[in-house]
Amino acid sequence: MLLSRLGFLGRQLEVTVPREQFRLPDLGEGLPDAEIVRWLVEVGERVTVNQPIVEVETAKALVDMPSPFAGVLTTRHAEPGDTVEVGQPLMTIDTGADTATGDTPTTDGTRGPESHRQRDHVPFTPGSDEQTDEPSDERMPVLVGYGPRGPSRVSRRTSRRGSRTDSTGGTGATAAAHTAGPAPAAGQARATSAPTTAGRPASPDSAQRPGRPARAVAVLAKPPVRKLARDLGVDLGTIAGTGPHGTISRADVEAARVPTNGQDAGQVRRIPVTGVRRAIAQAMVASAANAPQVTEFVSVDVTETVAARERLAALSEFADVKVTPLLFVAKALLTAVSRQPMINSRWEDAVGDAPAQIVVHEYVNLGIAVASPRGLVVPNIANADEMSLVELAHALHELTMTARSGKSTPETLRGGTITITNIGVFGVDIGTPILNPPEAAILALGAIRPMPWVHQGELAVRTVAQLALTFDHRIVDGELGSKVLADVARMLADPAVTLAWN
């Protein structure tokens, strides 16, 4: 009897181990989800507070998520390539791991030989407290670096998502958390076997949640194989792995490619549209569909600007920063905005009884389109109109270097008011830029190259650039657009004009 009671007490202790589940927080961008890019630690590794633990990609930026707890990472609820919605579980950390005894979980979810407490085998069953999709403010920690959170947008969004799916009879996030689903039929996506203890699953991810596609974490495949599957558009959940314990290999993925329209499977490559590429596509479609866009062009003799750039670069104030033609274009556009403020605006559609409005910004957040490893991004320089030329040069340099390294922050990627795109760096003379919504104008700078030009009545070789200004014709009439473009061209032709107009 005593032994039975002790065993019961041991089981009670087993399920009360201090363990914290961290859910994906709202990163402050108003975005509903994020894609897992890579994990920086493995299951079983010890982590400290504020230690970067996973890298996620939103539609705007790459973000390193720091651990809000100290302990041992016991569960990763998603793997690279998975999309996690705000409020859904991201990781579970055992905050009571015994450092003195080396009590660290192994990769199969069991404890090392020095421990007799198999506390990581507490099952995560649908409907249990730790598996619900409705965030609890008492259980959901503060993400270090993002400030305190109460019953904020995450809770409200999740509540709305749950009530919407319930009312329509769907199996959405909330419904899926409380419904036990049937086992998959033969030939359908299946969860691979996982080590168990006393008949319980070793990981909460070993059971597929009903109402959703099979999660990639339930499939045995290495990260390179998962990436290959994403690139080829192959669903890993439909493949029976031929490797040890059902592990899926590259050969399995390649064999699963299905020829389309009689083409050989090796002649096409499918790339899922996610992250930044999805955001770019949505923004460009919205831009072309919603705003009537007009583009005007002008060729400019920038010989004097090129000479001025060389003189500026020799000054001590610019000794630690590169002086580029883009600096002069940016300064010229900022000056043109001060002369024609309506170009620095956006359109707002009518809402209810409120009529449509033109919102004119009294500040300039200057966007610069940059080709980054994650695709086209448009970070902006806040209050660029208040900067001196030296300050603007440093800001441009920092912005472009950060963007090209793929490290632009969400704060710099929103709130722009007018944009410059420098397509001349690719050797292109000029093109037709498309508006960066909801902005009213975008200026394109083409390649700067020597060309024959009539100068002071005679044919000469001069340094020439082409400019293109696209504007929203609902806001900007042809006269206004022409004035802005002509002002920029005049300042680039004669830098002294910039001084006069400032």
Side-chain angles (χ1 to χ4, degrees), residues 66-358:
S67 173
F69 310 110
V72 172
L73 177 65
T74 61
T75 306
R76 303 191 310 202
H77 295 283
E79 291 298 325
D82 291 349
T83 297
V84 180
E85 295 182 1
V86 169
Q88 284 189 331
L90 188 60
M91 68 187 84
T92 298
I93 295 176
D94 179 357
T95 58
D98 188 356
T99 57
T101 61
D103 185 18
T104 303
T106 60
T107 55
D108 64 357
T110 61
R111 289 280 162 174
E114 299 182 16
S115 174
H116 299 285
R117 296 167 295 166
Q118 296 178 338
R119 58 192 180 191
D120 289 308
H121 290 290
V122 179
F124 283 64
T125 56
S128 68
D129 181 54
E130 291 199 35
Q131 191 70 8
T132 59
D133 274 345
E134 184 63 34
S136 168
D137 291 331
E138 290 75 25
R139 299 189 62 84
M140 189 166 184
V142 173
L143 175 62
V144 178
Y146 287 89
R149 57 173 297 141
S152 59
R153 287 180 292 174
V154 175
S155 300
R156 293 196 298 271
R157 180 183 295 110
T158 309
S159 299
R160 289 196 300 269
R161 185 165 58 242
S163 60
R164 181 172 61 251
T165 53
D166 289 343
S167 64
T168 57
T171 54
T174 304
H178 301 285
T179 307
Q188 294 181 338
R190 46 94 182 110
T192 58
S193 61
T196 61
T197 299
R200 294 190 299 269
S203 167
D205 297 310
S206 61
Q208 178 183 333
R209 297 175 64 186
R212 293 186 183 174
R215 299 170 65 182
V217 75
V219 178
L220 294 179
K222 295 181 178 179
V225 176
R226 296 181 185 276
K227 182 179 185 304
L228 176 64
R230 291 198 305 272
D231 292 344
L232 297 179
V234 174
D235 182 1
L236 288 176
T238 64
I239 301 176
T242 60
H245 306 292
T247 302
I248 298 175
S249 66
R250 295 181 64 91
D252 294 331
V253 173
E254 291 171 350
R257 289 183 296 180
V258 179
T260 304
N261 297 330
Q263 297 178 355
D264 181 77
Q267 293 180 339
V268 296
R269 184 163 64 99
R270 300 181 183 276
I271 303 175
V273 180
T274 60
V276 171
R277 178 53 54 191
R278 178 177 60 188
I280 292 172
Q282 292 171 346
M284 293 300 96
V285 169
S287 175
N290 297 331
Q293 304 186 30
V294 175
T295 305
E296 294 185 344
F297 306 89
V298 66
S299 298
V300 188
D301 178 358
V302 295
T303 305
E304 297 300 324
T305 290
V306 171
R309 184 190 69 83
E310 295 174 355
R311 293 195 297 271
L312 278 181
L315 297 178
S316 58
E317 291 83 354
F318 294 89
D320 58 344
V321 66
K322 187 175 182 180
V323 180
T324 66
L326 181 61
L327 173 62
F328 289 85
V329 175
K331 187 62 177 178
L333 180 59
L334 291 170
T335 303
V337 168
S338 69
R339 290 166 55 82
Q340 310 290 343
M342 187 67 72
I343 200 72
N344 186 48
S345 59
R346 73 174 188 269
W347 180 275
E348 284 190 356
D349 289 323
V351 178
D353 295 333
Q357 301 180 71
I358 296 174

